[in-house]
Amino acid sequence: MGKDVIVACDFDSMEKTLAFLDRFEGQVRKPFVKIGMELYYAEGPQIVREIKARGHKIFLDLKLHDIPNQVKKAMAVLSRMDVDICNVHAAGTVRMMEAALEGLTRPDGSRPLLIAVTQLTSTDQEAMEKDLWIEKPIDEVVMHYAKNARKAGLDGVVCSPLEAGKVHEACGADFLTVTPGVRFADGNTDDQKRVMTPAEAKKTGSDYIVVGRPITAAEDPVAAYQRCCDEFIG
Ligand code: C5P
């Protein structure tokens, strides 16, 4: 898979999600769709099947983190739904990530891409030290977790576009960087703190950008999506 724009469909129902995707009917490029916890817990596997049947690729963003055996079995179930990307928390350990990969691999050897969340961007240095008792600089922790994901055989990480270059340096050019926190130069940043434009994210080497509100809340979502693709993919 090459560079792509993933649209975060952060809606709370199938009805709203499908109404949003209806706007893209007839377009040459079908958006790669991210389904998060809210939508998946509201609608279950059926939402994945519906969106897949409409011809979209799917990043199922459920961020699994449990004992290796549970994660392995849960991944086997997700794999049967034919999603394209799914993810785990790197904090679950290398062994848990290996188990996830094993569970995800189908009998014919094929599998969805598997990426890891390093440290959530909502976790800052202070919370990491005070709550988690991790006393290293946060950027070192992020890079260590990315290397663990690589060691476990995963395909990449979710990270800030600001970290994409460093991740590629440490883990290889083929190790995927999937980056949220993207905003148009003339747009609202919402609650995102450290943002980059799609064009900047392209320069830092992001492989996939995850874009939610700049597209879902736009007056013309199709035009906003197209603008993202033009800036990021070219
Ligand atoms: O609307 P917005 O573009 O901010 O949406 C970004 C999406 O990426 C949301 O679904 C959010 O949960 C997700 N995300 C993020 N930061 C992370 C990981 C995921 O914004 N570190």
Side-chain angles (χ1 to χ4, degrees):
M1 286 200 253
K3 277 193 188 303
D4 210 344
V5 174
I6 301 179
V7 180
C9 284
D10 294 323
F11 299 109
D12 61 6
S13 73
M14 170 131 38
E15 199 188 342
K16 286 181 201 164
T17 310
L18 297 184
F20 170 74
L21 292 175
D22 278 345
R23 308 179 77 135
F24 294 86
E25 282 299 312
Q27 297 290 316
V28 183
R29 186 187 279 274
K30 290 210 182 242
F32 201 129
V33 168
K34 179 171 93 77
I35 300 175
M37 280 190 254
E38 181 188 17
L39 183 56
Y40 189 76
Y41 291 151
E43 300 290 355
Q46 194 53 28
I47 188 69
V48 174
R49 295 191 195 104
E50 284 280 345
I51 297 177
K52 208 60 210 185
R54 289 168 167 236
H56 298 271
K57 285 186 174 164
I58 295 180
F59 168 22
L60 189 56
D61 180 22
L62 298 181
K63 303 186 179 74
L64 276 67
H65 186 175
D66 203 337
I67 58 171
N69 186 52
Q70 273 302 306
V71 170
K72 178 177 167 180
K73 292 204 275 187
M75 281 297 177
V77 174
L78 299 186
S79 189
R80 287 203 294 274
M81 285 195 298
D82 196 23
V83 296
D84 298 280
I85 305 180
C86 41
N87 62 356
V88 292
H89 270 285
T93 74
V94 171
R95 207 175 127 228
M96 188 207 76
M97 291 190 272
E98 286 168 350
L101 205 57
E102 237 181 280
L104 207 55
T105 307
R106 305 182 186 107
D108 67 0
S110 68
R111 64 168 176 81
L113 293 172
L114 181 62
I115 60 178
V117 175
T118 54
Q119 279 292 349
L120 291 171
T121 44
S122 51
T123 308
D124 59 10
Q125 186 73 39
E126 191 188 351
M128 218 179 58
E129 286 176 14
K130 282 200 180 146
D131 300 353
L132 308 179
W133 280 16
I134 299 173
E135 287 175 351
K136 301 254 185 193
I138 194 158
D139 47 343
E140 282 182 32
V141 175
V142 166
M143 294 313 292
H144 180 62
Y145 283 16
K147 285 181 199 161
N148 280 352
R150 169 106 234 180
K151 196 158 130 195
L154 269 60
D155 303 294
V157 287
V158 182
C159 63
S160 154
L162 298 154
E163 294 156 358
K166 267 192 174 174
V167 168
H168 280 140
E169 264 172 42
C171 300
D174 59 339
F175 193 67
L176 300 174
T177 51
V178 178
T179 65
V182 174
R183 289 295 180 266
F184 292 122
D186 52 2
N188 189 343
T189 58
D190 303 301
D191 53 355
Q192 295 283 10
K193 298 257 175 342
R194 301 186 304 148
V195 298
M196 273 194 173
T197 66
E200 286 164 348
K202 179 182 183 178
K203 272 190 216 140
T204 66
S206 291
D207 296 290
Y208 295 88
I209 51 172
V210 177
V211 189
R213 287 159 292 179
I215 295 174
T216 56
E219 219 162 277
D220 184 345
V222 176
Y225 170 70
Q226 197 51 53
R227 180 177 171 195
C228 258
C229 293
D230 292 345
E231 281 194 30
F232 184 65
I233 307 166

